[in-house]
Amino acid sequence: MKIRPSLPQGTRDFAPQTLRKRQFVLQTIRGVFERYGFQPLETPAMENLDTLLGKYGEEGDKLIFRILNNGLDNPAKHEAAMEGFRQVLEGRNSTTVTERALRYDLTIPFARFVAMNHAQLNFPFKRYQMQPVWRADRPQKGRYREFWQCDADVVGSPSLLYEAELASIYLDAFRSLGIPVSVRVNHRGLLAALAEACGGAGRLTDITVSIDKLDKVGLEKVMEELDRKEFPETATAKIRTYLGVAGDNSERLQAVEGLLGGYEAGAKGIGELRWLLDFLRRDDGTEPLEIDLTLARGLDYYTGMIFEVKALDAQMGSIGGGGRYDDLTGLFGVPGIPGVGVSFGIDRICDVMEEKGLFPASLETGSRVLFFHLGQAEARHAWTVMQQLRARDTACEIYPEAARFDKQFKYAERRHIPIVAFVGSEEIAADTVRYKDLSTGEQRTVPRTAFLDALSPS
Amino acid sequence: MKIRPSLPQGTRDFAPQTLRKRQFVLQTIRGVFERYGFQPLETPAMENLDTLLGKYGEEGDKLIFRILNNGLDNPAKHEAAMEGFRQVLEGRNSTTVTERALRYDLTIPFARFVAMNHAQLNFPFKRYQMQPVWRADRPQKGRYREFWQCDADVVGSPSLLYEAELASIYLDAFRSLGIPVSVRVNHRGLLAALAEACGGAGRLTDITVSIDKLDKVGLEKVMEELDRKEFPETATAKIRTYLGVAGDNSERLQAVEGLLGGYEAGAKGIGELRWLLDFLRRDDGTEPLEIDLTLARGLDYYTGMIFEVKALDAQMGSIGGGGRYDDLTGLFGVPGIPGVGVSFGIDRICDVMEEKGLFPASLETGSRVLFFHLGQAEARHAWTVMQQLRARDTACEIYPEAARFDKQFKYAERRHIPIVAFVGSEEIAADTVRYKDLSTGEQRTVPRTAFLDALSPS
């Protein structure tokens, strides 16, 4: 008795209709990246374990999928392997049994690539990368153990022009996809200044970690958490004022200037935000970005501008985020390479598009035409027409055998093939094609050349 | 001191210029698959170990990369884990420590997918799949531990029309890529008949394994191997005659009909080959396929037509292969689903194209235009022009700071950007753009709208 096959927990097959939709999203974003001069990069699924360990915090390390070394079946090496495995169990890094692990994100492999190749790379280096990553998270709705990341980064330049490019990439990509979004921006300098005002730079992480939860838990819970972290009352009052700043972009900047403009980090953040808003202001004076002072981005490595994208009118967390960092490759012994990057949340973007019905109907369709199989000789004639259609880039196929018509119709319907074509003895004699549009029910017989023209992409 | 980062043995980063070339190959083949009504499928990188083990022979099993289970660091489970690991060392399958493994090819995951979903799939099901696979082979020139496979299969129909489609896909794809090839075809029925003529059906594998080496070792070595396998002299004489059959397709078929037409499997093979040649014969009477009776395809599971593609005038093994099989999913408890499929050797195809200089020069280029940075105000004006270019799908970028011209020129050259553009105070006042074609050295100043028209894709 064979075991019923199954998929590993938290992984998915992408059947054709789902995959076409994902590819549409990825291709749309890829097109935008390319128009801004970003170039594609791909790194291997597996990295040396050393490259990954210690980069994602203690909790992250536990979620890395490790690959067992091969060749362990040699009996002479069993005792060494057992010892190596015990070290793994004890949380140590043993290359005896696991040298390699699966990619956990795209950032560290990119950093590893830049560190390995920095002498040959021509900086600034603009790359995008769209690949799956793997995490041993507990699977739950919307969280998978294999999922795609889609990142664009520029490294090797401090220029704010790249902030402008990346913000503009968000705007273009979501406009192309048809998703109305709010692209929000903040600056870690403001948060650093706030920390200084509230007890010293050392409290930056405490503040960002708490503020980062604002969306999920609300203002009062954040303030309670800050109380528990033993911020003095004068400090929490400042944070409350900061988080309460409202108005349009220029009002917000003015208010925060009053609060934090006296700190160097604060003044720098305000200046850079003003520059970016000014640079991207539309001809009609409107501003495509929204200053959101409550935006914190949990990750420690951001040091300048930070971004987050939310879909409007959708029950969904952020569908994109990023920011500037000072030092991408220092961890790999190559310091002094700053950068800025953004990431697209592909799974969530697909969910939003599905929910809002934004995918083009054409993605449902593989072949545009199904030729009915009316017998061996007729099939050969149909083949000639099909080869002409294919040469014009129109996808088509023929039913594989002279089955009952209802069976052939059913195949077309289940495959969402919109047109069925008949080449029988009459059509062969007259060099015509009879075809039926399954959506309208309309049926026509036309000369072969007219059929080819009608069915070719315009 | 940080360790110099490195890549795992046998894996590769794909830097932009290499990746663009690979993507060109994959996109070209994808386009052909789509025109024949094949639909994309993707399966996860990891499969349950049970799904993979025992499918690739004993040697194959050893080359499967296993993934260590997570959560083994719980001290209460250490002894069970040590016991489980000992079982793995002894070659047993322990889910205590490794439940999952990396995909070894695309065929078994496809079979697993079909077996899991056969009730919902609408047969015949035509899918293509382009994904990396992983094997713990000893790395060597041209052999990697992570490499891409690219397969198209139709399952659920015995119709020979699919052999015609897949052969035609080979012809179209290699024509589109510009690689002159010989697409060779044979039929396992002929080999089965030859086995019957040489001592019984049980000797089929002995014969195909030996014949499969013909290309590498030559006829005499094959005959020596058959001698060692103790085929009687009458048998080896028949095999020698079979392998020596020459002439054009119809002469070959006629000769083999004399040799093996009396066996049922032989007659079937000859009939199917005749049908296929006839179906694909061009209007001018020439035949696009070449009968190659020495073609064997080592894999046991082929049962009907078999294919192999060789690049002409290239020192390279086969760059594609495939064939018909009777039973894809029987291993997973769902019998009776026959199919036929072909595979493209992506790494070798890229090597041939590189060697013969077949990649379009345009793949070298990311951005088409680099705008020089001439100062903050000028950069903002250049941005406006750039956004107009991007809206017309022309890739462009601006140098990130007002650096010396030679530095900006060098960036353009090293990035293979063919055009540099200048928007200075004169150009801003006159609403013009000055630009230089770096390949010809020609420099022009034209109205902005003329610049946009000149640089937009036609």
Side-chain angles (χ1 to χ4, degrees), chain B residues 58-120:
Chain B
E58 207 176 308
E59 282 310 302
D61 277 357
K62 288 186 184 171
L63 302 183
I64 291 171
F65 279 112
R66 296 168 179 222
I67 296 164
L68 211 53
N69 290 354
N70 288 72
L72 296 172
D73 54 345
N74 177 349
K77 296 186 182 165
H78 279 192
E79 287 320 305
M82 290 298 283
E83 173 53 29
F85 187 66
R86 185 172 290 282
Q87 291 177 16
V88 169
L89 293 181
E90 289 165 357
R92 283 184 281 158
N93 180 7
S94 164
T95 57
T96 316
V97 294
T98 67
E99 280 171 62
R100 289 165 292 257
L102 290 180
R103 183 166 62 212
Y104 179 91
D105 72 357
L106 302 181
T107 305
I108 292 298
F110 176 51
R112 191 264 311 142
F113 173 84
V114 172
M116 275 175 71
N117 298 285
H118 67 98
Q120 299 87 269

Coordinates of all heavy atoms in Angstrom, one line a residue, chain B residues 58-120:
Chain B
E58 N 19.7 3.8 -5.6 CA 20.5 3.9 -4.4 C 21.5 5.0 -4.5 O 21.6 5.8 -3.5 CB 21.3 2.5 -4.2 CG 21.6 2.2 -2.8 CD 22.2 0.9 -2.6 OE1 21.7 -0.1 -3.2 OE2 23.3 0.8 -2.0
E59 N 22.1 5.2 -5.6 CA 23.1 6.3 -5.8 C 22.4 7.6 -5.7 O 22.9 8.6 -5.1 CB 23.8 6.2 -7.1 CG 24.9 5.1 -7.1 CD 25.9 5.3 -5.9 OE1 26.5 6.4 -5.8 OE2 26.0 4.3 -5.1
G60 N 21.2 7.7 -6.3 CA 20.4 9.0 -6.2 C 20.1 9.3 -4.8 O 20.2 10.5 -4.4
D61 N 19.6 8.3 -4.0 CA 19.2 8.6 -2.6 C 20.3 9.3 -1.9 O 20.1 10.2 -1.0 CB 18.9 7.3 -1.9 CG 17.4 6.9 -2.2 OD1 16.7 7.6 -2.9 OD2 17.0 5.8 -1.8
K62 N 21.6 8.9 -2.2 CA 22.7 9.4 -1.4 C 23.0 10.9 -1.8 O 23.7 11.6 -1.1 CB 24.0 8.6 -1.7 CG 24.0 7.3 -1.1 CD 25.3 6.6 -1.3 CE 25.2 5.2 -0.7 NZ 26.4 4.4 -1.0
L63 N 22.5 11.3 -3.0 CA 22.7 12.7 -3.4 C 21.6 13.7 -3.0 O 21.7 14.8 -3.4 CB 22.9 12.7 -4.9 CG 24.0 11.8 -5.5 CD1 24.2 11.9 -7.0 CD2 25.4 12.1 -4.8
I64 N 20.6 13.2 -2.4 CA 19.5 14.0 -1.9 C 20.0 14.9 -0.7 O 20.6 14.3 0.2 CB 18.3 13.2 -1.6 CG1 17.7 12.6 -2.8 CG2 17.3 14.0 -0.8 CD1 16.6 11.5 -2.6
F65 N 19.8 16.2 -0.8 CA 20.1 17.0 0.4 C 18.9 17.0 1.4 O 17.8 17.3 1.1 CB 20.2 18.5 -0.1 CG 21.6 18.8 -0.6 CD1 21.7 19.1 -2.0 CD2 22.7 18.8 0.2 CE1 23.0 19.4 -2.5 CE2 24.0 19.1 -0.4 CZ 24.1 19.4 -1.7
R66 N 19.2 16.5 2.6 CA 18.2 16.4 3.6 C 18.2 17.6 4.5 O 19.3 18.2 4.8 CB 18.4 15.2 4.5 CG 18.3 13.9 3.8 CD 18.9 12.8 4.7 NE 18.7 11.5 4.0 CZ 18.4 10.4 4.7 NH1 18.1 10.4 6.0 NH2 18.3 9.3 4.0
I67 N 17.1 18.0 5.0 CA 17.0 19.2 5.8 C 16.7 18.7 7.2 O 15.9 17.9 7.5 CB 15.8 20.1 5.4 CG1 16.1 20.6 4.0 CG2 15.6 21.2 6.3 CD1 14.9 21.2 3.3
L68 N 17.5 19.3 8.1 CA 17.4 19.0 9.5 C 16.1 19.5 10.1 O 15.8 20.7 9.8 CB 18.6 19.6 10.3 CG 19.2 18.9 11.5 CD1 19.5 17.4 11.2 CD2 20.4 19.6 12.0
N69 N 15.4 18.7 10.9 CA 14.2 19.3 11.5 C 14.6 20.4 12.5 O 15.7 20.4 13.0 CB 13.5 18.2 12.4 CG 12.9 17.1 11.5 OD1 12.8 17.3 10.3 ND2 12.4 16.1 12.1
N70 N 13.7 21.3 12.7 CA 13.9 22.4 13.7 C 13.3 22.0 15.0 O 12.6 21.0 15.1 CB 13.4 23.7 13.2 CG 14.2 24.2 12.0 OD1 14.2 23.7 10.9 ND2 15.0 25.3 12.3
G71 N 13.7 22.7 16.0 CA 13.2 22.4 17.4 C 13.9 21.3 18.1 O 13.4 20.8 19.1
L72 N 15.0 20.8 17.5 CA 15.8 19.7 18.1 C 16.5 20.2 19.4 O 17.1 19.4 20.1 CB 16.7 19.1 17.1 CG 16.1 18.4 15.9 CD1 17.1 18.0 14.9 CD2 15.3 17.2 16.3
D73 N 16.6 21.5 19.6 CA 17.4 22.0 20.7 C 16.7 21.9 22.0 O 17.3 22.2 23.1 CB 17.8 23.5 20.4 CG 16.6 24.4 20.2 OD1 15.5 23.8 19.9 OD2 16.7 25.6 20.2
N74 N 15.5 21.3 22.1 CA 14.9 21.1 23.3 C 15.6 19.9 24.1 O 15.5 18.8 23.6 CB 13.4 20.7 23.1 CG 12.6 20.4 24.3 OD1 13.2 20.2 25.4 ND2 11.3 20.2 24.2
P75 N 16.2 20.2 25.2 CA 17.0 19.2 25.9 C 16.2 17.9 26.2 O 16.8 16.8 26.1 CB 17.5 19.8 27.2 CG 17.4 21.3 26.9 CD 16.3 21.5 25.9
A76 N 15.0 18.0 26.4 CA 14.2 16.8 26.7 C 14.1 15.8 25.6 O 13.8 14.7 25.7 CB 12.7 17.2 27.1
K77 N 14.4 16.4 24.4 CA 14.3 15.5 23.2 C 15.7 15.1 22.7 O 15.8 14.4 21.6 CB 13.5 16.2 22.1 CG 12.1 16.5 22.5 CD 11.3 17.1 21.3 CE 9.9 17.5 21.7 NZ 9.3 18.4 20.7
H78 N 16.7 15.4 23.4 CA 18.1 15.2 22.8 C 18.3 13.7 22.6 O 18.9 13.3 21.6 CB 19.1 15.7 23.8 CG 19.3 17.2 23.6 ND1 20.4 17.9 24.1 CD2 18.6 18.1 22.8 CE1 20.3 19.2 23.7 NE2 19.2 19.3 23.0
E79 N 17.9 12.8 23.6 CA 18.3 11.4 23.4 C 17.5 10.8 22.2 O 18.1 10.1 21.4 CB 18.0 10.6 24.7 CG 19.0 10.9 25.8 CD 20.5 11.1 25.2 OE1 21.0 10.1 24.6 OE2 21.1 12.1 25.4
A80 N 16.2 11.2 22.1 CA 15.5 10.7 20.9 C 16.1 11.2 19.6 O 16.2 10.4 18.6 CB 14.0 11.2 21.0
A81 N 16.6 12.4 19.6 CA 17.3 13.0 18.4 C 18.6 12.2 18.1 O 18.8 11.9 17.0 CB 17.5 14.5 18.6
M82 N 19.3 11.9 19.2 CA 20.6 11.2 18.9 C 20.3 9.8 18.3 O 21.0 9.4 17.4 CB 21.4 11.0 20.3 CG 22.0 12.3 20.8 SD 23.2 13.1 19.8 CE 24.6 12.1 20.1
E83 N 19.2 9.2 18.8 CA 18.8 7.9 18.3 C 18.4 8.0 16.8 O 18.8 7.2 16.0 CB 17.7 7.2 19.2 CG 17.1 6.0 18.7 CD 18.1 4.9 18.3 OE1 19.2 4.8 19.0 OE2 17.9 4.1 17.4
G84 N 17.6 9.0 16.6 CA 17.1 9.3 15.2 C 18.3 9.5 14.3 O 18.3 9.0 13.2
F85 N 19.3 10.3 14.8 CA 20.4 10.6 13.9 C 21.2 9.4 13.6 O 21.7 9.2 12.5 CB 21.3 11.7 14.6 CG 22.4 12.2 13.7 CD1 22.1 12.9 12.6 CD2 23.7 11.9 14.0 CE1 23.1 13.4 11.8 CE2 24.7 12.4 13.2 CZ 24.4 13.1 12.1
R86 N 21.3 8.5 14.6 CA 22.1 7.2 14.4 C 21.4 6.4 13.2 O 22.0 5.9 12.4 CB 22.2 6.4 15.6 CG 23.1 5.1 15.4 CD 23.3 4.4 16.7 NE 24.2 5.1 17.6 CZ 25.6 5.1 17.5 NH1 26.2 4.6 16.5 NH2 26.3 5.8 18.4
Q87 N 20.0 6.5 13.2 CA 19.3 5.7 12.2 C 19.6 6.4 10.8 O 19.8 5.7 9.8 CB 17.8 5.8 12.4 CG 17.4 5.0 13.6 CD 15.9 5.1 14.0 OE1 15.1 5.5 13.1 NE2 15.5 4.6 15.1
V88 N 19.7 7.7 10.8 CA 20.1 8.3 9.5 C 21.4 7.9 9.0 O 21.7 7.6 7.9 CB 20.0 9.9 9.7 CG1 20.6 10.6 8.5 CG2 18.6 10.4 9.9
L89 N 22.4 7.9 10.0 CA 23.8 7.4 9.6 C 23.8 6.0 9.1 O 24.5 5.7 8.2 CB 24.7 7.5 10.9 CG 24.9 8.9 11.4 CD1 25.9 8.8 12.7 CD2 25.6 9.8 10.4
E90 N 22.9 5.2 9.6 CA 22.8 3.8 9.1 C 22.0 3.7 7.9 O 21.6 2.6 7.5 CB 22.3 2.9 10.3 CG 23.3 2.8 11.4 CD 22.7 2.3 12.7 OE1 21.4 2.0 12.7 OE2 23.4 2.1 13.7
G91 N 21.6 4.8 7.3 CA 20.9 4.7 6.0 C 19.4 4.5 6.2 O 18.7 4.3 5.2
R92 N 18.9 4.6 7.4 CA 17.5 4.5 7.6 C 16.8 5.8 7.5 O 17.5 6.9 7.7 CB 17.1 3.7 8.9 CG 17.4 2.2 8.8 CD 17.0 1.5 10.0 NE 18.0 1.6 11.1 CZ 17.8 1.4 12.4 NH1 16.6 1.2 12.8 NH2 18.8 1.6 13.3
N93 N 15.5 5.8 7.3 CA 14.8 7.0 7.2 C 14.1 7.4 8.5 O 13.1 6.9 8.9 CB 13.7 6.8 6.1 CG 12.9 8.1 5.9 OD1 13.2 9.1 6.4 ND2 11.8 7.9 5.1
S94 N 14.8 8.4 9.2 CA 14.2 8.8 10.5 C 13.6 10.2 10.4 O 14.2 11.2 10.1 CB 15.4 8.9 11.5 OG 14.9 9.6 12.6
T95 N 12.3 10.2 10.6 CA 11.6 11.5 10.6 C 11.9 12.3 11.9 O 11.5 13.4 12.0 CB 10.1 11.4 10.4 OG1 9.6 10.5 11.4 CG2 9.7 10.8 9.0
T96 N 12.5 11.6 12.9 CA 12.8 12.3 14.1 C 13.7 13.5 13.8 O 13.6 14.6 14.4 CB 13.5 11.4 15.1 OG1 12.9 10.1 15.1 CG2 13.5 12.0 16.5
V97 N 14.7 13.3 13.0 CA 15.6 14.4 12.7 C 15.6 15.0 11.3 O 16.0 16.1 11.1 CB 17.1 14.0 13.1 CG1 17.2 13.8 14.5 CG2 17.5 12.8 12.3
T98 N 15.1 14.2 10.3 CA 14.9 14.8 8.9 C 13.6 14.4 8.3 O 13.5 13.2 7.8 CB 16.1 14.4 8.0 OG1 16.0 13.1 7.7 CG2 17.4 14.9 8.5
E99 N 12.7 15.2 8.3 CA 11.4 14.9 7.6 C 11.4 15.4 6.2 O 10.6 14.9 5.4 CB 10.3 15.7 8.3 CG 9.8 15.1 9.5 CD 8.8 16.1 10.2 OE1 7.8 16.4 9.6 OE2 9.1 16.5 11.3
R100 N 12.3 16.4 5.8 CA 12.2 17.1 4.6 C 13.5 17.0 3.8 O 14.6 16.8 4.4 CB 11.8 18.5 4.8 CG 10.4 18.8 5.2 CD 10.2 20.2 5.8 NE 11.0 20.3 7.0 CZ 10.4 20.4 8.2 NH1 9.1 20.3 8.3 NH2 11.2 20.5 9.3
A101 N 13.4 17.2 2.5 CA 14.6 17.2 1.7 C 14.4 18.1 0.5 O 13.3 18.5 0.2 CB 14.9 15.8 1.2
L102 N 15.5 18.5 -0.1 CA 15.4 19.4 -1.3 C 15.1 18.6 -2.5 O 15.6 17.5 -2.8 CB 16.7 20.2 -1.5 CG 17.1 21.2 -0.4 CD1 18.4 21.9 -0.7 CD2 15.9 22.3 -0.3
R103 N 14.2 19.2 -3.4 CA 13.9 18.7 -4.7 C 15.1 18.3 -5.5 O 16.1 19.0 -5.5 CB 13.2 19.9 -5.4 CG 12.7 19.7 -6.7 CD 11.8 20.9 -7.1 NE 12.6 22.1 -7.1 CZ 12.1 23.3 -6.8 NH1 10.8 23.5 -6.4 NH2 12.8 24.4 -6.9
Y104 N 15.1 17.0 -6.0 CA 16.2 16.5 -6.7 C 16.0 16.6 -8.2 O 17.0 16.6 -9.0 CB 16.3 15.0 -6.3 CG 17.4 14.2 -6.9 CD1 18.7 14.1 -6.3 CD2 17.2 13.4 -8.1 CE1 19.7 13.4 -6.9 CE2 18.2 12.7 -8.6 CZ 19.5 12.6 -8.0 OH 20.5 11.9 -8.6
D105 N 14.8 16.6 -8.6 CA 14.4 16.9 -10.1 C 13.0 17.5 -10.1 O 12.4 17.7 -9.0 CB 14.5 15.6 -10.9 CG 13.4 14.6 -10.7 OD1 12.6 14.8 -9.8 OD2 13.4 13.6 -11.3
L106 N 12.5 17.7 -11.3 CA 11.1 18.2 -11.4 C 10.1 17.2 -11.6 O 8.9 17.4 -11.5 CB 11.0 19.3 -12.5 CG 12.0 20.5 -12.3 CD1 11.8 21.5 -13.4 CD2 11.8 21.2 -11.0
T107 N 10.5 16.0 -12.0 CA 9.6 14.9 -12.4 C 8.8 14.3 -11.2 O 7.6 14.2 -11.2 CB 10.3 13.8 -13.1 OG1 11.0 14.4 -14.2 CG2 9.3 12.8 -13.7
I108 N 9.6 14.0 -10.1 CA 8.9 13.4 -9.0 C 8.0 14.4 -8.3 O 6.8 14.0 -8.0 CB 9.9 12.8 -8.0 CG1 10.6 11.6 -8.7 CG2 9.3 12.4 -6.7 CD1 9.7 10.4 -9.0
P109 N 8.4 15.6 -8.1 CA 7.4 16.6 -7.5 C 6.2 16.8 -8.4 O 5.1 16.9 -7.9 CB 8.2 17.9 -7.4 CG 9.7 17.4 -7.3 CD 9.8 16.2 -8.1
F110 N 6.4 16.7 -9.7 CA 5.2 16.8 -10.6 C 4.3 15.6 -10.4 O 3.1 15.7 -10.3 CB 5.7 16.9 -12.1 CG 4.6 16.9 -13.1 CD1 3.5 17.8 -13.0 CD2 4.7 16.0 -14.2 CE1 2.5 17.8 -14.0 CE2 3.6 16.0 -15.1 CZ 2.6 16.9 -15.0
A111 N 4.9 14.4 -10.3 CA 4.1 13.2 -10.1 C 3.4 13.3 -8.8 O 2.2 13.0 -8.7 CB 5.1 12.0 -10.1
R112 N 4.1 13.8 -7.8 CA 3.4 14.0 -6.5 C 2.2 15.0 -6.6 O 1.2 14.7 -6.0 CB 4.5 14.5 -5.5 CG 4.1 14.5 -4.0 CD 3.6 15.8 -3.5 NE 4.5 16.9 -3.9 CZ 4.0 18.1 -4.2 NH1 2.7 18.4 -4.3 NH2 4.9 19.1 -4.6
F113 N 2.4 16.0 -7.3 CA 1.4 17.0 -7.5 C 0.2 16.4 -8.2 O -1.0 16.6 -7.8 CB 1.9 18.2 -8.3 CG 0.8 19.2 -8.7 CD1 0.4 20.2 -7.9 CD2 0.2 19.1 -10.0 CE1 -0.6 21.1 -8.2 CE2 -0.8 20.0 -10.3 CZ -1.2 21.0 -9.5
V114 N 0.4 15.7 -9.3 CA -0.6 15.0 -10.1 C -1.4 14.0 -9.2 O -2.6 14.0 -9.2 CB -0.1 14.4 -11.4 CG1 -1.2 13.6 -12.1 CG2 0.4 15.5 -12.3
A115 N -0.6 13.2 -8.4 CA -1.2 12.2 -7.6 C -2.1 12.9 -6.5 O -3.2 12.4 -6.2 CB -0.2 11.3 -6.9
M116 N -1.7 14.0 -6.0 CA -2.4 14.7 -4.9 C -3.7 15.3 -5.5 O -4.7 15.5 -4.8 CB -1.6 15.8 -4.3 CG -0.7 15.3 -3.1 SD 0.3 16.6 -2.5 CE -0.9 17.7 -1.6
N117 N -3.6 15.8 -6.8 CA -4.7 16.6 -7.3 C -5.4 16.0 -8.5 O -6.2 16.7 -9.2 CB -4.1 17.9 -7.8 CG -3.5 18.7 -6.6 OD1 -4.2 19.3 -5.8 ND2 -2.2 18.7 -6.6
H118 N -5.2 14.7 -8.7 CA -5.8 14.1 -9.9 C -7.3 14.2 -10.0 O -7.8 14.3 -11.1 CB -5.3 12.6 -10.1 CG -5.9 11.7 -9.1 ND1 -6.9 10.9 -9.4 CD2 -5.5 11.4 -7.8 CE1 -7.2 10.2 -8.3 NE2 -6.3 10.5 -7.4
A119 N -8.0 14.2 -8.9 CA -9.4 14.3 -9.0 C -9.9 15.7 -9.5 O -10.9 15.7 -10.2 CB -10.0 14.0 -7.6
Q120 N -9.1 16.7 -9.2 CA -9.5 18.0 -9.7 C -8.9 18.4 -11.1 O -9.4 19.4 -11.7 CB -9.1 19.1 -8.7 CG -9.7 19.0 -7.3 CD -8.8 18.1 -6.4 OE1 -9.0 16.9 -6.4 NE2 -7.8 18.7 -5.8

